[in-house]
Amino acid sequence: SMRCFPGLVLALSSLLGALALLQLSLYLRVPSRYGKHEERPCRRRGRLPARCAWFLQELPSFLLGICVSCKGPGCLASLGPPALLTFCMSVWDKTFIYPFFTRGRPFPLQLLFFGTLFCIYNGFLQGYYLIYCAEYPNDWCTDIRFTSGLLLFLLGMGINIHSDLLLRQLRKPGEVTYKIPQGGLFTYVSGANYFGEIVEWFGFAIATWSLPAFAFAFFTLCCIGPRAYHHHRYYLKTFTDYPKSRKALIPFIF
């Protein structure tokens, strides 16, 4: 049976942190080339429809979380399953809800491949730690870290889902043109959906108080934070009537 190897958790979490810094260095000045930041008109060759691509990319995280949790010894007495359920709840949205409503452009196969590899990696790391390594006191569910983290997680998830809904409503079926997002947190920032996702995973990290979760939250910040910044610059450049009071990612600050 599987058991906890702290050295493995430390190594995989450290690698995740290093990947986060690599993402930040690669895409802080130049955005990743998909969606509105593509340099040339979209070609169907070497691509999958956005709905299919997002589903395939996110599916491994959900399946790995479920599989690892089913094999955890005595896990019902620990915080592992509730925390893992929280993780799976968010991944469920990205795997089974978001892909079937998105109206994005066809997705490059190369990005899909690396995205899927990452989801396999991270899904295993989070599930493995929570089931086989995590140890919490019996009163952890009343600890300020768990309660505040869970509150942040739910708040971020709500912002993320609501922002995705507002983005979907911008386009009619078949449309691929970009429009100015309105309503919700988009009143204050260009990357409301990204802000929600970052808050969500930092909340998860605080609630579980685990190195892998903090490493993933940091990766999320370094990965989609710059994308929100580039979205903001794109909107300002493309739309002359874009609200100048909006920030890129953090309301009133940045």
Side-chain angles (χ1 to χ4, degrees), residues 93-94 97-103 156-172 180-186 192-194:
D93 170 61
K94 289 297 180 186
I97 308 288
Y98 177 79
F100 295 99
F101 290 97
T102 185
R103 292 172 183 165
M157 187 177 181
I159 292 171
N160 191 11
I161 292 173
H162 182 243
S163 300
D164 282 340
L165 176 64
L166 292 175
L167 287 175
R168 287 196 296 268
Q169 291 175 344
L170 283 176
R171 295 175 180 171
K172 297 175 183 177
I180 299 176
Q182 304 287 354
L185 204 65
F186 283 114
N193 50 331
Y194 296 134

PDB file of all heavy atoms in Angstrom, residues 93-94 97-103 156-172 180-186 192-194:
ATOM      1  N   ASP A  93     -15.879  22.014 -11.567  1.00  0.00           N
ATOM      2  CA  ASP A  93     -16.366  23.163 -12.342  1.00  0.00           C
ATOM      3  C   ASP A  93     -15.540  23.347 -13.604  1.00  0.00           C
ATOM      4  O   ASP A  93     -16.096  23.562 -14.689  1.00  0.00           O
ATOM      5  CB  ASP A  93     -16.308  24.428 -11.481  1.00  0.00           C
ATOM      6  CG  ASP A  93     -16.577  25.690 -12.300  1.00  0.00           C
ATOM      7  OD1 ASP A  93     -17.683  25.790 -12.861  1.00  0.00           O
ATOM      8  OD2 ASP A  93     -15.694  26.561 -12.367  1.00  0.00           O
ATOM      9  N   LYS A  94     -14.205  23.254 -13.476  1.00  0.00           N
ATOM     10  CA  LYS A  94     -13.327  23.464 -14.627  1.00  0.00           C
ATOM     11  C   LYS A  94     -13.389  22.306 -15.622  1.00  0.00           C
ATOM     12  O   LYS A  94     -13.082  22.473 -16.800  1.00  0.00           O
ATOM     13  CB  LYS A  94     -11.873  23.642 -14.147  1.00  0.00           C
ATOM     14  CG  LYS A  94     -11.625  24.962 -13.438  1.00  0.00           C
ATOM     15  CD  LYS A  94     -11.849  26.130 -14.380  1.00  0.00           C
ATOM     16  CE  LYS A  94     -11.603  27.457 -13.705  1.00  0.00           C
ATOM     17  NZ  LYS A  94     -11.962  28.599 -14.564  1.00  0.00           N
ATOM     18  N   ILE A  97     -18.192  21.781 -16.138  1.00  0.00           N
ATOM     19  CA  ILE A  97     -19.096  22.929 -16.323  1.00  0.00           C
ATOM     20  C   ILE A  97     -18.520  23.911 -17.346  1.00  0.00           C
ATOM     21  O   ILE A  97     -19.105  24.151 -18.404  1.00  0.00           O
ATOM     22  CB  ILE A  97     -19.352  23.664 -14.983  1.00  0.00           C
ATOM     23  CG1 ILE A  97     -19.796  22.680 -13.899  1.00  0.00           C
ATOM     24  CG2 ILE A  97     -20.378  24.782 -15.192  1.00  0.00           C
ATOM     25  CD1 ILE A  97     -21.169  22.138 -14.042  1.00  0.00           C
ATOM     26  N   TYR A  98     -17.348  24.464 -17.009  1.00  0.00           N
ATOM     27  CA  TYR A  98     -16.750  25.505 -17.846  1.00  0.00           C
ATOM     28  C   TYR A  98     -16.569  25.091 -19.314  1.00  0.00           C
ATOM     29  O   TYR A  98     -16.951  25.848 -20.215  1.00  0.00           O
ATOM     30  CB  TYR A  98     -15.410  25.935 -17.240  1.00  0.00           C
ATOM     31  CG  TYR A  98     -14.664  26.956 -18.065  1.00  0.00           C
ATOM     32  CD1 TYR A  98     -15.021  28.307 -18.029  1.00  0.00           C
ATOM     33  CD2 TYR A  98     -13.604  26.577 -18.894  1.00  0.00           C
ATOM     34  CE1 TYR A  98     -14.342  29.247 -18.790  1.00  0.00           C
ATOM     35  CE2 TYR A  98     -12.917  27.509 -19.655  1.00  0.00           C
ATOM     36  CZ  TYR A  98     -13.300  28.832 -19.597  1.00  0.00           C
ATOM     37  OH  TYR A  98     -12.624  29.755 -20.362  1.00  0.00           O
ATOM     38  N   PRO A  99     -16.006  23.884 -19.609  1.00  0.00           N
ATOM     39  CA  PRO A  99     -15.746  23.545 -21.008  1.00  0.00           C
ATOM     40  C   PRO A  99     -16.991  23.519 -21.885  1.00  0.00           C
ATOM     41  O   PRO A  99     -16.922  23.826 -23.076  1.00  0.00           O
ATOM     42  CB  PRO A  99     -15.116  22.141 -20.923  1.00  0.00           C
ATOM     43  CG  PRO A  99     -14.564  22.054 -19.556  1.00  0.00           C
ATOM     44  CD  PRO A  99     -15.509  22.845 -18.693  1.00  0.00           C
ATOM     45  N   PHE A 100     -18.133  23.154 -21.320  1.00  0.00           N
ATOM     46  CA  PHE A 100     -19.329  22.972 -22.139  1.00  0.00           C
ATOM     47  C   PHE A 100     -20.094  24.273 -22.366  1.00  0.00           C
ATOM     48  O   PHE A 100     -21.088  24.294 -23.075  1.00  0.00           O
ATOM     49  CB  PHE A 100     -20.220  21.900 -21.509  1.00  0.00           C
ATOM     50  CG  PHE A 100     -19.568  20.551 -21.517  1.00  0.00           C
ATOM     51  CD1 PHE A 100     -18.939  20.062 -20.383  1.00  0.00           C
ATOM     52  CD2 PHE A 100     -19.528  19.780 -22.681  1.00  0.00           C
ATOM     53  CE1 PHE A 100     -18.299  18.832 -20.395  1.00  0.00           C
ATOM     54  CE2 PHE A 100     -18.899  18.546 -22.696  1.00  0.00           C
ATOM     55  CZ  PHE A 100     -18.282  18.069 -21.557  1.00  0.00           C
ATOM     56  N   PHE A 101     -19.599  25.344 -21.767  1.00  0.00           N
ATOM     57  CA  PHE A 101     -20.240  26.646 -21.986  1.00  0.00           C
ATOM     58  C   PHE A 101     -19.293  27.656 -22.631  1.00  0.00           C
ATOM     59  O   PHE A 101     -19.742  28.700 -23.088  1.00  0.00           O
ATOM     60  CB  PHE A 101     -20.773  27.209 -20.660  1.00  0.00           C
ATOM     61  CG  PHE A 101     -21.950  26.448 -20.127  1.00  0.00           C
ATOM     62  CD1 PHE A 101     -21.783  25.468 -19.158  1.00  0.00           C
ATOM     63  CD2 PHE A 101     -23.236  26.697 -20.600  1.00  0.00           C
ATOM     64  CE1 PHE A 101     -22.872  24.762 -18.655  1.00  0.00           C
ATOM     65  CE2 PHE A 101     -24.319  25.989 -20.120  1.00  0.00           C
ATOM     66  CZ  PHE A 101     -24.138  25.027 -19.143  1.00  0.00           C
ATOM     67  N   THR A 102     -17.992  27.334 -22.639  1.00  0.00           N
ATOM     68  CA  THR A 102     -17.041  28.284 -23.201  1.00  0.00           C
ATOM     69  C   THR A 102     -17.252  28.456 -24.702  1.00  0.00           C
ATOM     70  O   THR A 102     -17.676  27.517 -25.397  1.00  0.00           O
ATOM     71  CB  THR A 102     -15.582  27.835 -22.926  1.00  0.00           C
ATOM     72  OG1 THR A 102     -14.706  28.857 -23.389  1.00  0.00           O
ATOM     73  CG2 THR A 102     -15.251  26.548 -23.653  1.00  0.00           C
ATOM     74  N   ARG A 103     -16.960  29.653 -25.176  1.00  0.00           N
ATOM     75  CA  ARG A 103     -17.074  29.942 -26.606  1.00  0.00           C
ATOM     76  C   ARG A 103     -15.743  30.452 -27.151  1.00  0.00           C
ATOM     77  O   ARG A 103     -15.697  31.281 -28.050  1.00  0.00           O
ATOM     78  CB  ARG A 103     -18.182  30.982 -26.839  1.00  0.00           C
ATOM     79  CG  ARG A 103     -19.568  30.429 -26.526  1.00  0.00           C
ATOM     80  CD  ARG A 103     -20.634  31.489 -26.562  1.00  0.00           C
ATOM     81  NE  ARG A 103     -21.934  30.943 -26.189  1.00  0.00           N
ATOM     82  CZ  ARG A 103     -22.990  31.681 -25.857  1.00  0.00           C
ATOM     83  NH1 ARG A 103     -22.892  33.002 -25.841  1.00  0.00           N
ATOM     84  NH2 ARG A 103     -24.135  31.120 -25.543  1.00  0.00           N
ATOM     85  N   GLY A 156     -13.640  33.057  -3.631  1.00  0.00           N
ATOM     86  CA  GLY A 156     -12.926  33.044  -4.900  1.00  0.00           C
ATOM     87  C   GLY A 156     -13.617  32.203  -5.948  1.00  0.00           C
ATOM     88  O   GLY A 156     -13.709  32.587  -7.118  1.00  0.00           O
ATOM     89  N   MET A 157     -14.129  31.049  -5.534  1.00  0.00           N
ATOM     90  CA  MET A 157     -14.834  30.176  -6.466  1.00  0.00           C
ATOM     91  C   MET A 157     -16.096  30.850  -6.992  1.00  0.00           C
ATOM     92  O   MET A 157     -16.413  30.769  -8.184  1.00  0.00           O
ATOM     93  CB  MET A 157     -15.190  28.859  -5.765  1.00  0.00           C
ATOM     94  CG  MET A 157     -15.767  27.804  -6.680  1.00  0.00           C
ATOM     95  SD  MET A 157     -16.064  26.252  -5.792  1.00  0.00           S
ATOM     96  CE  MET A 157     -16.697  25.235  -7.129  1.00  0.00           C
ATOM     97  N   GLY A 158     -16.817  31.549  -6.103  1.00  0.00           N
ATOM     98  CA  GLY A 158     -18.018  32.266  -6.521  1.00  0.00           C
ATOM     99  C   GLY A 158     -17.697  33.363  -7.525  1.00  0.00           C
ATOM    100  O   GLY A 158     -18.386  33.516  -8.543  1.00  0.00           O
ATOM    101  N   ILE A 159     -16.618  34.129  -7.249  1.00  0.00           N
ATOM    102  CA  ILE A 159     -16.198  35.193  -8.169  1.00  0.00           C
ATOM    103  C   ILE A 159     -15.798  34.604  -9.520  1.00  0.00           C
ATOM    104  O   ILE A 159     -16.164  35.118 -10.578  1.00  0.00           O
ATOM    105  CB  ILE A 159     -15.008  35.988  -7.575  1.00  0.00           C
ATOM    106  CG1 ILE A 159     -15.464  36.795  -6.359  1.00  0.00           C
ATOM    107  CG2 ILE A 159     -14.387  36.920  -8.621  1.00  0.00           C
ATOM    108  CD1 ILE A 159     -14.318  37.441  -5.590  1.00  0.00           C
ATOM    109  N   ASN A 160     -15.071  33.493  -9.472  1.00  0.00           N
ATOM    110  CA  ASN A 160     -14.589  32.845 -10.695  1.00  0.00           C
ATOM    111  C   ASN A 160     -15.752  32.366 -11.566  1.00  0.00           C
ATOM    112  O   ASN A 160     -15.805  32.640 -12.774  1.00  0.00           O
ATOM    113  CB  ASN A 160     -13.688  31.668 -10.293  1.00  0.00           C
ATOM    114  CG  ASN A 160     -12.923  31.095 -11.476  1.00  0.00           C
ATOM    115  OD1 ASN A 160     -12.892  31.688 -12.561  1.00  0.00           O
ATOM    116  ND2 ASN A 160     -12.310  29.955 -11.283  1.00  0.00           N
ATOM    117  N   ILE A 161     -16.703  31.657 -10.966  1.00  0.00           N
ATOM    118  CA  ILE A 161     -17.838  31.122 -11.710  1.00  0.00           C
ATOM    119  C   ILE A 161     -18.716  32.246 -12.255  1.00  0.00           C
ATOM    120  O   ILE A 161     -19.148  32.221 -13.415  1.00  0.00           O
ATOM    121  CB  ILE A 161     -18.661  30.166 -10.818  1.00  0.00           C
ATOM    122  CG1 ILE A 161     -17.839  28.901 -10.508  1.00  0.00           C
ATOM    123  CG2 ILE A 161     -19.988  29.791 -11.485  1.00  0.00           C
ATOM    124  CD1 ILE A 161     -18.491  27.971  -9.509  1.00  0.00           C
ATOM    125  N   HIS A 162     -18.975  33.261 -11.413  1.00  0.00           N
ATOM    126  CA  HIS A 162     -19.802  34.389 -11.849  1.00  0.00           C
ATOM    127  C   HIS A 162     -19.139  35.165 -12.986  1.00  0.00           C
ATOM    128  O   HIS A 162     -19.804  35.559 -13.961  1.00  0.00           O
ATOM    129  CB  HIS A 162     -20.073  35.322 -10.665  1.00  0.00           C
ATOM    130  CG  HIS A 162     -20.950  36.484 -11.012  1.00  0.00           C
ATOM    131  ND1 HIS A 162     -20.503  37.792 -10.935  1.00  0.00           N
ATOM    132  CD2 HIS A 162     -22.234  36.549 -11.463  1.00  0.00           C
ATOM    133  CE1 HIS A 162     -21.481  38.606 -11.324  1.00  0.00           C
ATOM    134  NE2 HIS A 162     -22.541  37.882 -11.641  1.00  0.00           N
ATOM    135  N   SER A 163     -17.824  35.350 -12.894  1.00  0.00           N
ATOM    136  CA  SER A 163     -17.089  36.076 -13.935  1.00  0.00           C
ATOM    137  C   SER A 163     -17.084  35.295 -15.245  1.00  0.00           C
ATOM    138  O   SER A 163     -17.224  35.884 -16.332  1.00  0.00           O
ATOM    139  CB  SER A 163     -15.652  36.352 -13.479  1.00  0.00           C
ATOM    140  OG  SER A 163     -15.645  37.130 -12.297  1.00  0.00           O
ATOM    141  N   ASP A 164     -16.913  33.976 -15.163  1.00  0.00           N
ATOM    142  CA  ASP A 164     -16.976  33.139 -16.370  1.00  0.00           C
ATOM    143  C   ASP A 164     -18.349  33.242 -17.023  1.00  0.00           C
ATOM    144  O   ASP A 164     -18.469  33.280 -18.255  1.00  0.00           O
ATOM    145  CB  ASP A 164     -16.679  31.674 -16.026  1.00  0.00           C
ATOM    146  CG  ASP A 164     -15.186  31.413 -15.830  1.00  0.00           C
ATOM    147  OD1 ASP A 164     -14.377  32.226 -16.326  1.00  0.00           O
ATOM    148  OD2 ASP A 164     -14.836  30.403 -15.194  1.00  0.00           O
ATOM    149  N   LEU A 165     -19.399  33.293 -16.199  1.00  0.00           N
ATOM    150  CA  LEU A 165     -20.763  33.428 -16.710  1.00  0.00           C
ATOM    151  C   LEU A 165     -20.927  34.756 -17.453  1.00  0.00           C
ATOM    152  O   LEU A 165     -21.503  34.800 -18.550  1.00  0.00           O
ATOM    153  CB  LEU A 165     -21.762  33.337 -15.556  1.00  0.00           C
ATOM    154  CG  LEU A 165     -23.240  33.560 -15.908  1.00  0.00           C
ATOM    155  CD1 LEU A 165     -23.734  32.455 -16.849  1.00  0.00           C
ATOM    156  CD2 LEU A 165     -24.097  33.600 -14.661  1.00  0.00           C
ATOM    157  N   LEU A 166     -20.410  35.829 -16.889  1.00  0.00           N
ATOM    158  CA  LEU A 166     -20.499  37.142 -17.532  1.00  0.00           C
ATOM    159  C   LEU A 166     -19.735  37.165 -18.856  1.00  0.00           C
ATOM    160  O   LEU A 166     -20.194  37.756 -19.842  1.00  0.00           O
ATOM    161  CB  LEU A 166     -19.946  38.232 -16.601  1.00  0.00           C
ATOM    162  CG  LEU A 166     -20.759  38.512 -15.332  1.00  0.00           C
ATOM    163  CD1 LEU A 166     -20.029  39.519 -14.449  1.00  0.00           C
ATOM    164  CD2 LEU A 166     -22.155  39.027 -15.674  1.00  0.00           C
ATOM    165  N   LEU A 167     -18.584  36.494 -18.892  1.00  0.00           N
ATOM    166  CA  LEU A 167     -17.803  36.437 -20.130  1.00  0.00           C
ATOM    167  C   LEU A 167     -18.542  35.653 -21.216  1.00  0.00           C
ATOM    168  O   LEU A 167     -18.528  36.028 -22.391  1.00  0.00           O
ATOM    169  CB  LEU A 167     -16.435  35.796 -19.860  1.00  0.00           C
ATOM    170  CG  LEU A 167     -15.418  36.643 -19.095  1.00  0.00           C
ATOM    171  CD1 LEU A 167     -14.160  35.842 -18.794  1.00  0.00           C
ATOM    172  CD2 LEU A 167     -15.053  37.903 -19.889  1.00  0.00           C
ATOM    173  N   ARG A 168     -19.191  34.552 -20.816  1.00  0.00           N
ATOM    174  CA  ARG A 168     -19.935  33.749 -21.796  1.00  0.00           C
ATOM    175  C   ARG A 168     -21.103  34.540 -22.384  1.00  0.00           C
ATOM    176  O   ARG A 168     -21.440  34.392 -23.557  1.00  0.00           O
ATOM    177  CB  ARG A 168     -20.458  32.468 -21.143  1.00  0.00           C
ATOM    178  CG  ARG A 168     -19.402  31.437 -20.865  1.00  0.00           C
ATOM    179  CD  ARG A 168     -20.010  30.084 -20.589  1.00  0.00           C
ATOM    180  NE  ARG A 168     -20.827  30.055 -19.399  1.00  0.00           N
ATOM    181  CZ  ARG A 168     -20.364  29.731 -18.196  1.00  0.00           C
ATOM    182  NH1 ARG A 168     -19.080  29.450 -18.034  1.00  0.00           N
ATOM    183  NH2 ARG A 168     -21.168  29.700 -17.154  1.00  0.00           N
ATOM    184  N   GLN A 169     -21.717  35.381 -21.564  1.00  0.00           N
ATOM    185  CA  GLN A 169     -22.874  36.146 -22.028  1.00  0.00           C
ATOM    186  C   GLN A 169     -22.499  37.276 -22.979  1.00  0.00           C
ATOM    187  O   GLN A 169     -23.370  37.855 -23.625  1.00  0.00           O
ATOM    188  CB  GLN A 169     -23.625  36.717 -20.819  1.00  0.00           C
ATOM    189  CG  GLN A 169     -24.325  35.655 -19.981  1.00  0.00           C
ATOM    190  CD  GLN A 169     -24.955  36.213 -18.718  1.00  0.00           C
ATOM    191  OE1 GLN A 169     -24.636  37.329 -18.289  1.00  0.00           O
ATOM    192  NE2 GLN A 169     -25.854  35.450 -18.111  1.00  0.00           N
ATOM    193  N   LEU A 170     -21.193  37.567 -23.084  1.00  0.00           N
ATOM    194  CA  LEU A 170     -20.754  38.618 -24.002  1.00  0.00           C
ATOM    195  C   LEU A 170     -20.934  38.219 -25.463  1.00  0.00           C
ATOM    196  O   LEU A 170     -21.113  39.063 -26.328  1.00  0.00           O
ATOM    197  CB  LEU A 170     -19.268  38.945 -23.762  1.00  0.00           C
ATOM    198  CG  LEU A 170     -18.917  39.797 -22.546  1.00  0.00           C
ATOM    199  CD1 LEU A 170     -17.408  39.927 -22.427  1.00  0.00           C
ATOM    200  CD2 LEU A 170     -19.560  41.171 -22.637  1.00  0.00           C
ATOM    201  N   ARG A 171     -20.857  36.906 -25.718  1.00  0.00           N
ATOM    202  CA  ARG A 171     -20.900  36.431 -27.094  1.00  0.00           C
ATOM    203  C   ARG A 171     -22.165  35.649 -27.382  1.00  0.00           C
ATOM    204  O   ARG A 171     -22.636  34.873 -26.545  1.00  0.00           O
ATOM    205  CB  ARG A 171     -19.704  35.511 -27.380  1.00  0.00           C
ATOM    206  CG  ARG A 171     -18.361  36.181 -27.314  1.00  0.00           C
ATOM    207  CD  ARG A 171     -17.282  35.128 -27.505  1.00  0.00           C
ATOM    208  NE  ARG A 171     -15.943  35.702 -27.451  1.00  0.00           N
ATOM    209  CZ  ARG A 171     -14.837  34.958 -27.415  1.00  0.00           C
ATOM    210  NH1 ARG A 171     -14.923  33.649 -27.437  1.00  0.00           N
ATOM    211  NH2 ARG A 171     -13.652  35.549 -27.373  1.00  0.00           N
ATOM    212  N   LYS A 172     -22.668  35.838 -28.567  1.00  0.00           N
ATOM    213  CA  LYS A 172     -23.754  35.003 -29.047  1.00  0.00           C
ATOM    214  C   LYS A 172     -23.150  33.723 -29.619  1.00  0.00           C
ATOM    215  O   LYS A 172     -21.970  33.707 -29.980  1.00  0.00           O
ATOM    216  CB  LYS A 172     -24.549  35.740 -30.127  1.00  0.00           C
ATOM    217  CG  LYS A 172     -25.242  37.010 -29.624  1.00  0.00           C
ATOM    218  CD  LYS A 172     -25.910  37.759 -30.763  1.00  0.00           C
ATOM    219  CE  LYS A 172     -26.531  39.055 -30.241  1.00  0.00           C
ATOM    220  NZ  LYS A 172     -27.141  39.858 -31.337  1.00  0.00           N
ATOM    221  N   ILE A 180     -16.026  44.246 -24.414  1.00  0.00           N
ATOM    222  CA  ILE A 180     -15.661  44.714 -23.070  1.00  0.00           C
ATOM    223  C   ILE A 180     -16.515  44.006 -22.023  1.00  0.00           C
ATOM    224  O   ILE A 180     -17.744  44.099 -22.054  1.00  0.00           O
ATOM    225  CB  ILE A 180     -15.862  46.241 -22.952  1.00  0.00           C
ATOM    226  CG1 ILE A 180     -14.981  46.980 -23.962  1.00  0.00           C
ATOM    227  CG2 ILE A 180     -15.557  46.710 -21.529  1.00  0.00           C
ATOM    228  CD1 ILE A 180     -15.190  48.494 -23.969  1.00  0.00           C
ATOM    229  N   PRO A 181     -15.891  43.286 -21.077  1.00  0.00           N
ATOM    230  CA  PRO A 181     -16.663  42.635 -20.002  1.00  0.00           C
ATOM    231  C   PRO A 181     -17.316  43.681 -19.101  1.00  0.00           C
ATOM    232  O   PRO A 181     -16.710  44.716 -18.816  1.00  0.00           O
ATOM    233  CB  PRO A 181     -15.604  41.836 -19.230  1.00  0.00           C
ATOM    234  CG  PRO A 181     -14.404  41.799 -20.116  1.00  0.00           C
ATOM    235  CD  PRO A 181     -14.453  43.029 -20.955  1.00  0.00           C
ATOM    236  N   GLN A 182     -18.526  43.399 -18.668  1.00  0.00           N
ATOM    237  CA  GLN A 182     -19.266  44.329 -17.813  1.00  0.00           C
ATOM    238  C   GLN A 182     -19.879  43.582 -16.636  1.00  0.00           C
ATOM    239  O   GLN A 182     -20.216  42.411 -16.738  1.00  0.00           O
ATOM    240  CB  GLN A 182     -20.385  45.022 -18.606  1.00  0.00           C
ATOM    241  CG  GLN A 182     -19.932  45.763 -19.856  1.00  0.00           C
ATOM    242  CD  GLN A 182     -19.196  47.064 -19.567  1.00  0.00           C
ATOM    243  OE1 GLN A 182     -19.102  47.488 -18.420  1.00  0.00           O
ATOM    244  NE2 GLN A 182     -18.693  47.705 -20.612  1.00  0.00           N
ATOM    245  N   GLY A 183     -20.049  44.301 -15.525  1.00  0.00           N
ATOM    246  CA  GLY A 183     -20.757  43.741 -14.373  1.00  0.00           C
ATOM    247  C   GLY A 183     -19.860  42.972 -13.428  1.00  0.00           C
ATOM    248  O   GLY A 183     -18.715  42.635 -13.749  1.00  0.00           O
ATOM    249  N   GLY A 184     -20.389  42.679 -12.243  1.00  0.00           N
ATOM    250  CA  GLY A 184     -19.640  41.921 -11.251  1.00  0.00           C
ATOM    251  C   GLY A 184     -18.325  42.595 -10.905  1.00  0.00           C
ATOM    252  O   GLY A 184     -18.221  43.824 -10.862  1.00  0.00           O
ATOM    253  N   LEU A 185     -17.302  41.799 -10.688  1.00  0.00           N
ATOM    254  CA  LEU A 185     -15.990  42.343 -10.344  1.00  0.00           C
ATOM    255  C   LEU A 185     -15.299  42.965 -11.562  1.00  0.00           C
ATOM    256  O   LEU A 185     -14.296  43.666 -11.413  1.00  0.00           O
ATOM    257  CB  LEU A 185     -15.116  41.243  -9.736  1.00  0.00           C
ATOM    258  CG  LEU A 185     -13.977  41.735  -8.832  1.00  0.00           C
ATOM    259  CD1 LEU A 185     -14.534  42.410  -7.591  1.00  0.00           C
ATOM    260  CD2 LEU A 185     -13.055  40.595  -8.436  1.00  0.00           C
ATOM    261  N   PHE A 186     -15.830  42.722 -12.768  1.00  0.00           N
ATOM    262  CA  PHE A 186     -15.279  43.368 -13.960  1.00  0.00           C
ATOM    263  C   PHE A 186     -15.438  44.896 -13.890  1.00  0.00           C
ATOM    264  O   PHE A 186     -14.791  45.613 -14.642  1.00  0.00           O
ATOM    265  CB  PHE A 186     -15.952  42.841 -15.222  1.00  0.00           C
ATOM    266  CG  PHE A 186     -15.473  41.479 -15.638  1.00  0.00           C
ATOM    267  CD1 PHE A 186     -16.329  40.386 -15.595  1.00  0.00           C
ATOM    268  CD2 PHE A 186     -14.170  41.286 -16.067  1.00  0.00           C
ATOM    269  CE1 PHE A 186     -15.891  39.129 -15.971  1.00  0.00           C
ATOM    270  CE2 PHE A 186     -13.715  40.025 -16.445  1.00  0.00           C
ATOM    271  CZ  PHE A 186     -14.583  38.939 -16.390  1.00  0.00           C
ATOM    272  N   ALA A 192     -11.240  39.672 -13.730  1.00  0.00           N
ATOM    273  CA  ALA A 192     -12.054  39.259 -12.575  1.00  0.00           C
ATOM    274  C   ALA A 192     -12.055  37.738 -12.392  1.00  0.00           C
ATOM    275  O   ALA A 192     -11.973  37.241 -11.268  1.00  0.00           O
ATOM    276  CB  ALA A 192     -13.484  39.761 -12.751  1.00  0.00           C
ATOM    277  N   ASN A 193     -12.151  37.005 -13.498  1.00  0.00           N
ATOM    278  CA  ASN A 193     -12.149  35.539 -13.411  1.00  0.00           C
ATOM    279  C   ASN A 193     -10.810  35.027 -12.878  1.00  0.00           C
ATOM    280  O   ASN A 193     -10.755  34.090 -12.073  1.00  0.00           O
ATOM    281  CB  ASN A 193     -12.461  34.912 -14.769  1.00  0.00           C
ATOM    282  CG  ASN A 193     -11.606  35.474 -15.891  1.00  0.00           C
ATOM    283  OD1 ASN A 193     -11.167  36.627 -15.845  1.00  0.00           O
ATOM    284  ND2 ASN A 193     -11.372  34.685 -16.907  1.00  0.00           N
ATOM    285  N   TYR A 194      -9.708  35.668 -13.299  1.00  0.00           N
ATOM    286  CA  TYR A 194      -8.389  35.264 -12.820  1.00  0.00           C
ATOM    287  C   TYR A 194      -8.203  35.618 -11.342  1.00  0.00           C
ATOM    288  O   TYR A 194      -7.638  34.833 -10.579  1.00  0.00           O
ATOM    289  CB  TYR A 194      -7.303  35.944 -13.651  1.00  0.00           C
ATOM    290  CG  TYR A 194      -7.312  35.539 -15.106  1.00  0.00           C
ATOM    291  CD1 TYR A 194      -7.209  36.482 -16.120  1.00  0.00           C
ATOM    292  CD2 TYR A 194      -7.433  34.199 -15.472  1.00  0.00           C
ATOM    293  CE1 TYR A 194      -7.220  36.109 -17.460  1.00  0.00           C
ATOM    294  CE2 TYR A 194      -7.443  33.813 -16.805  1.00  0.00           C
ATOM    295  CZ  TYR A 194      -7.336  34.772 -17.790  1.00  0.00           C
ATOM    296  OH  TYR A 194      -7.346  34.397 -19.102  1.00  0.00           O
TER     297      TYR A 194
END
